Amino acid sequence: MKNGRLIVISGFSGAGKGTVVKKVVEKYGYSLSISATTRAPREGEVDGKDYHFKTVEDFKNLIDYNGFVEWTQYVENYYGTPRKFLEDEIDAGRDVILEIEVKGAMNIRAQYPDAVLIFITTRNVDILRDRLSNRGSESEEIIDKRIKRACEEAKFMGEYDFVVVNDDVDECVDTVNSIIISQKCRKEENEKLIEEIQKDFEAKA
Amino acid sequence: MKNGRLIVISGFSGAGKGTVVKKVVEKYGYSLSISATTRAPREGEVDGKDYHFKTVEDFKNLIDYNGFVEWTQYVENYYGTPRKFLEDEIDAGRDVILEIEVKGAMNIRAQYPDAVLIFITTRNVDILRDRLSNRGSESEEIIDKRIKRACEEAKFMGEYDFVVVNDDVDECVDTVNSIIISQKCRKEENEKLIEEIQKDFEAKA
């Protein structure tokens, strides 16, 4: 059987990446990798759905046992991508979506050169700022911080295979799915099929 | 404005390529390049829709005036891809689909390196033979001839960017559209956008 594919999705906070990932998974039935973290659950967050919530001790133990494909420490919290789920899904021939920040994405690419990297962006910075402001829940200071962080992340956009502008969520969802589907048809992914058909012709034509 | 893209679709006679192209154009509204030919119209064929029907004299004159992107002689008839329509559509930012045999496709690729080449195939030779037989209109001899021709064409499959197996026409139509959409999001097609966003951040973050 053919292996599944890793689909890495990054994007600016405020570009709608979270919503897009959620809808792509719901609408098209891809597997979704759930990150592990040591930060406390926020209200409404469900263990095993939003994150796998871990103690620092458990997390560090998993690091020691090579349990993460990649992990990082951000402020005082740990975040990581569990290895087992990812590899089981790929082995079972299922495509897995990972929503992950840029450095984690570069880390994944280094280990899985066949991973498909998709970056979701707004068309420009003003739209990003508007979307962050319209959430209404965040202070100007936090918005500035997110914009500064996005500025750093933007430096990695050229490392991605695909860049999708999120002007409209539903269109963006379908475009991400189109990218995933198109990858299966790439010549490089079908060398074996091509060879089989060519041999079949040699035998039967 | 961004240029349109050339989408070259080839495939075995009997793989359903003609139906797929027709449906992709109808469903998703792409432009379709109509070939010119000197062969006589068959019953029901409409000039300007199925082909641009030309006299040998007119066709040769157009060759002299560089009116074809590529042309070929097959048995005693000429076939060619009119240049003007193609270039006008690309300049207007519209994607154009060309249904064309393998050697014409290679010819197009040499002139338009950015063209996207898609090959439509059945999963194997038996299915191809079944589909040709089920048309009911063709003798065993003609079917054998088509299979032999397909065998020659199969040697070029590895030169295509994408290979799509036509197990189900409607799925195949959507897959071809997915491929076209995904191409617009390729990093290489969005260098300018990436640069603009990065500059925008530098100015505003």
Side-chain angles (χ1 to χ4, degrees), chain B residues 15-166:
Chain B
K17 158 194 52 146
T19 310
V20 169
V21 167
K22 192 166 162 275
K23 288 198 168 195
V24 169
V25 167
E26 275 171 13
K27 185 166 176 187
Y28 297 105
Y30 297 106
S31 294
L32 178 67
S33 165
I34 311 286
S35 298
T37 184
T38 59
R39 80 154 167 74
R42 291 180 192 140
E43 208 182 309
E45 282 185 339
V46 177
D47 185 35
K49 200 183 157 214
D50 297 291
Y51 282 96
H52 298 290
F53 294 101
K54 302 279 177 200
T55 63
V56 173
E57 197 190 340
D58 282 352
F59 198 101
K60 285 187 171 172
N61 194 37
L62 282 164
I63 294 172
D64 290 342
Y65 278 84
N66 201 21
F68 295 115
V69 173
E70 58 82 41
W71 63 272
T72 188
Q73 203 178 356
Y74 182 64
V75 194
E76 74 272 45
N77 297 310
Y78 288 89
Y79 295 84
T81 303
R83 180 183 304 278
K84 191 174 182 318
F85 176 79
L86 218 69
E87 299 192 341
D88 284 353
E89 293 296 292
I90 293 176
D91 288 347
R94 284 189 286 270
D95 297 336
V96 189
I97 295 183
L98 276 93
E99 183 189 339
I100 196 169
E101 48 70 53
V102 292
K103 284 188 184 154
M106 298 302 110
N107 213 325
I108 296 283
R109 150 126 317 155
Q111 293 177 69
Y112 300 90
D114 290 343
V116 180
L117 272 60
I118 302 173
F119 196 95
I120 294 177
T121 179
T122 49
R123 195 161 291 284
N124 57 48
V125 178
D126 289 344
I127 296 174
L128 186 67
R129 187 178 283 274
D130 281 351
R131 289 202 194 153
L132 286 167
S133 301
N134 288 341
R135 287 181 177 177
S137 58
E138 271 139 347
S139 65
E140 271 306 306
E141 194 194 331
I142 287 187
I143 291 171
D144 280 342
K145 229 184 216 168
R146 286 182 190 253
I147 293 284
K148 279 211 168 54
R149 189 169 178 190
C151 176
E152 286 307 305
E153 289 172 334
K155 293 173 186 162
F156 290 86
M157 284 175 80
E159 303 295 322
Y160 283 70
D161 301 306
F162 296 94
V163 174
V164 182
V165 175
N166 183 12

Side-chain angles (χ1 to χ4, degrees), chain A residues 52-66:
Chain A
H52 298 291
F53 294 103
K54 302 278 178 201
T55 63
V56 173
E57 198 190 339
D58 281 352
F59 199 102
K60 285 187 171 171
N61 194 37
L62 282 165
I63 294 173
D64 289 342
Y65 279 84
N66 202 21

Side-chain angles (χ1 to χ4, degrees), chain A residues 12 121-126 128-129 147-148 150-151 154-165 175 178-179 181-182 185-188 190 193-194 197-198 200-202 204-205, chain B residues 12 121-126 128-129 147-148 150-151 154-165 175 178-179 181-182 185-188 190 193-194 197-198 200-202 204-205:
Chain A
F12 309 126
T121 180
T122 50
R123 195 161 290 286
N124 57 48
V125 178
D126 289 344
L128 186 66
R129 188 178 282 276
I147 294 284
K148 278 207 169 56
C151 176
K155 292 172 186 164
F156 291 86
M157 284 174 79
E159 303 295 323
Y160 283 71
D161 301 306
F162 295 95
V163 174
V164 181
V165 176
T175 300
S178 288
I179 291 169
I181 286 176
S182 73
C185 301
R186 288 176 63 230
K187 183 250 313 269
E188 294 78 5
N190 289 284
L193 174 76
I194 294 173
I197 290 175
Q198 287 169 341
D200 204 11
F201 269 119
E202 297 295 333
K204 292 172 182 166
Chain B
F12 308 126
T121 179
T122 49
R123 195 161 291 284
N124 57 48
V125 178
D126 289 344
L128 186 67
R129 187 178 283 274
I147 293 284
K148 279 211 168 54
C151 176
K155 293 173 186 162
F156 290 86
M157 284 175 80
E159 303 295 322
Y160 283 70
D161 301 306
F162 296 94
V163 174
V164 182
V165 175
T175 299
S178 287
I179 291 169
I181 285 176
S182 72
C185 300
R186 287 175 64 229
K187 183 251 312 271
E188 294 77 6
N190 288 284
L193 174 75
I194 294 173
I197 290 175
Q198 286 169 342
D200 203 12
F201 270 118
E202 297 293 333
K204 291 172 184 165

Side-chain angles (χ1 to χ4, degrees), chain A residues 3-21:
Chain A
N3 279 350
R5 194 175 284 95
L6 277 188
I7 317 294
V8 175
I9 300 187
S10 305
F12 309 126
S13 169
K17 159 195 51 147
T19 310
V20 169
V21 167

